[in-house]
Amino acid sequence: MSQFVGAAPLSVEVSLFRAPFDATDADLIIHTSDDAKFAVHKIFLTVASPLLKRLLLSGSSSPCPPFEGLVLKRDGNHAIIKLEEDAQTTERVLQYCYPFSNPVLSSLNDVQAVLEMMKKFGMKGLMNKVKGSLVQQAFLDDQPLRVFAIAYRYGLEDEARIAAKHTVRQPFFTPYVEELEHIPASVYHRLLQYHRKCSVATCSLTADFSWFPSFASRWVWFQCDDCVHHPLSWPLSDGKIYEVNAWFIEFMERARNVLRERPCGKVVADPFLIAECLEAASGCVTCRPAAFLDLSVFVGEHFAVEIDRAIDTVELDIPF
C-alpha cells in the first residue's frame, strides 16, 4: 500500500470576522453583543448614517449625540465599535449599507429589529428599503395589527395605512400584541374607530340595492315567482321596484352579521355562508338550476368588489 511520506500538514487560516464582512483592508471593526466581529469600511456606514459619520470622522471616543450601548475605541489603524445589538441584526443592517442584495427578513421580529437599529443610527434612507419587507402579504394576512403598530412606530405612513385596511379583516377585538406598547393609546382607539366606520359603510350595502348593476333584475331571486318573497320590495338602479325571494334576503342579513365584525369583501365569499343560502334555494325548481351561478357572479364580481370600494371611502383619521 502506497503512503504519502513527509507531507506538510494542511494549514487553514480561519478569519475572526464574519464573511463577507472580513476584508483585510477594513478600517473599522464592529463587535456585537454576542461576540461576533465584522471588519467593514467606514465609507459605507458614513454614507448610510449621518450620525455615525460625525462619530467616526470626529476622532473622538465620545459619541455625539450619545448612543445607548455603543462604545468606540481605537486600535492602531482601526476604530472599534462595540454594539448592544446582536450579530444577526447587525449583519442584516450592514447588508443594507453595502451594495449587496437586500437580506430576506422572514419574520416581523426580524423586520422590527432592523428598523430599530436603523432608527437608532439615523439611517432614514435605509429604512425606506426595509418597509417593503414589512408589508409582505403573509404578514398582512396573519398579523396586520402588528404590522400597523410597527409601521406607525417607525413613521412609515403608507405601510401603516395598508396594514390598517387589513386589520378590518380580523374581528373587532383581536388578541393583544406587544407592539401596541410602542404606540399611543389614542392611535389604537382611532384604529378601532376606523374599523367601526368600515363596518357601518359595508353593512349599509346589505339594505340598499341601488348599487346593484343595471342587469340585476335578471338574477333568479328577482325573477322567480315560485319562492316565498320577502315582505318588502326593493328598488334597483333601473328605477323599478322588485319583489325579492326570501332566501336571498336571508343571505344578505347573514352577510350583514359577518360584516359587522369583519368588514371586507373576503368574508361574504365564505363557502359556508353561501352554502346556507344555496340550501334554501335548492328547494325551488326555478331557483335550483340558476342560484349557484347567479350568486357566484353576484358575490365575486359585484358584492365583494363593492364592499372593498366602500372601505376605500373610509378615512383613516390618524396623524402621522
Side-chain angles (χ1 to χ4, degrees), residues 288-305:
R288 187 185 306 127
F292 176 77
L293 179 59
D294 283 1
L295 196 63
S296 297
V297 171
F298 168 71
V299 171
E301 298 181 14
H302 301 282
F303 194 18
V305 172

Side-chain angles (χ1 to χ4, degrees), residues 41-231:
H41 299 89
K42 289 181 183 179
I43 183 63
F44 293 111
L45 272 67
T46 58
V47 170
S49 168
L51 299 181
L52 283 176
K53 180 178 181 179
R54 296 212 312 258
L55 167 64
L56 294 172
L57 301 183
S58 67
S60 171
S61 61
S62 299
C64 183
F67 294 110
E68 181 179 351
L70 183 147
V71 177
L72 174 63
K73 298 180 180 179
R74 305 207 175 262
D75 180 16
N77 295 328
H78 294 93
I80 301 174
I81 291 180
K82 185 169 180 59
L83 302 178
E84 63 176 8
E85 286 77 16
D86 62 23
Q88 186 178 69
T89 302
T90 301
E91 182 171 11
R92 286 169 172 160
V93 171
L94 288 174
Q95 285 177 309
Y96 279 105
C97 294
Y98 273 66
F100 296 158
S101 297
N102 292 339
V104 175
L105 304 178
S106 57
S107 75
L108 282 175
N109 288 339
D110 293 341
V111 176
Q112 189 165 205
V114 168
L115 285 171
E116 179 62 23
M117 185 172 180
M118 288 179 174
K119 180 183 178 181
K120 173 179 177 178
F121 293 110
M123 300 175 174
K124 292 183 179 180
L126 294 187
M127 291 176 72
N128 288 329
K129 292 185 177 182
V130 181
K131 60 186 183 183
S133 297
L134 179 59
V135 289
Q136 296 179 51
Q137 195 60 50
F139 297 160
L140 291 171
D141 290 342
D142 298 337
Q143 305 174 83
L145 183 56
R146 289 189 67 197
V147 175
F148 171 82
I150 293 170
Y152 183 87
R153 178 184 181 186
Y154 295 105
L156 305 175
E157 179 176 353
D158 291 344
E159 288 65 36
R161 293 187 181 279
I162 292 171
K165 284 188 176 182
H166 282 74
T167 62
V168 302
R169 300 183 182 185
Q170 296 191 339
F172 189 73
F173 288 108
T174 58
Y176 167 83
V177 296
E178 64 180 16
E179 284 78 11
L180 291 174
E181 297 287 344
H182 302 289
I183 67 173
S186 60
V187 170
Y188 181 55
H189 176 74
R190 293 189 183 207
L191 182 65
L192 295 179
Q193 284 185 319
Y194 170 75
H195 193 295
R196 180 57 64 198
K197 290 178 181 178
C198 288
S199 295
V200 172
T202 56
C203 284
S204 68
L205 300 175
T206 66
D208 175 10
F209 298 167
S210 62
W211 58 270
F212 281 22
S214 59
F215 60 83
S217 60
R218 303 175 194 169
W219 286 327
V220 69
W221 49 86
F222 292 117
Q223 290 289 319
C224 177
D225 290 325
D226 297 326
C227 282
V228 175
H229 290 152
H230 191 272

Side-chain angles (χ1 to χ4, degrees), residues 202-217 219 221-222 230 232-256 259 295 298 302-303 306:
T202 56
C203 284
S204 68
L205 300 175
T206 66
D208 175 10
F209 298 167
S210 62
W211 58 270
F212 281 22
S214 59
F215 60 83
S217 60
W219 286 327
W221 49 86
F222 292 117
H230 191 272
L232 299 178
S233 297
W234 303 80
L236 297 182
S237 59
D238 61 6
K240 299 179 182 180
I241 297 177
Y242 295 84
E243 291 185 322
V244 188
N245 289 352
W247 60 261
F248 177 75
I249 299 301
E250 289 174 2
F251 168 75
M252 294 300 274
E253 289 173 348
R254 293 191 185 101
R256 185 185 311 138
L259 287 170
L295 196 63
F298 168 71
H302 301 282
F303 194 18
E306 195 67 24

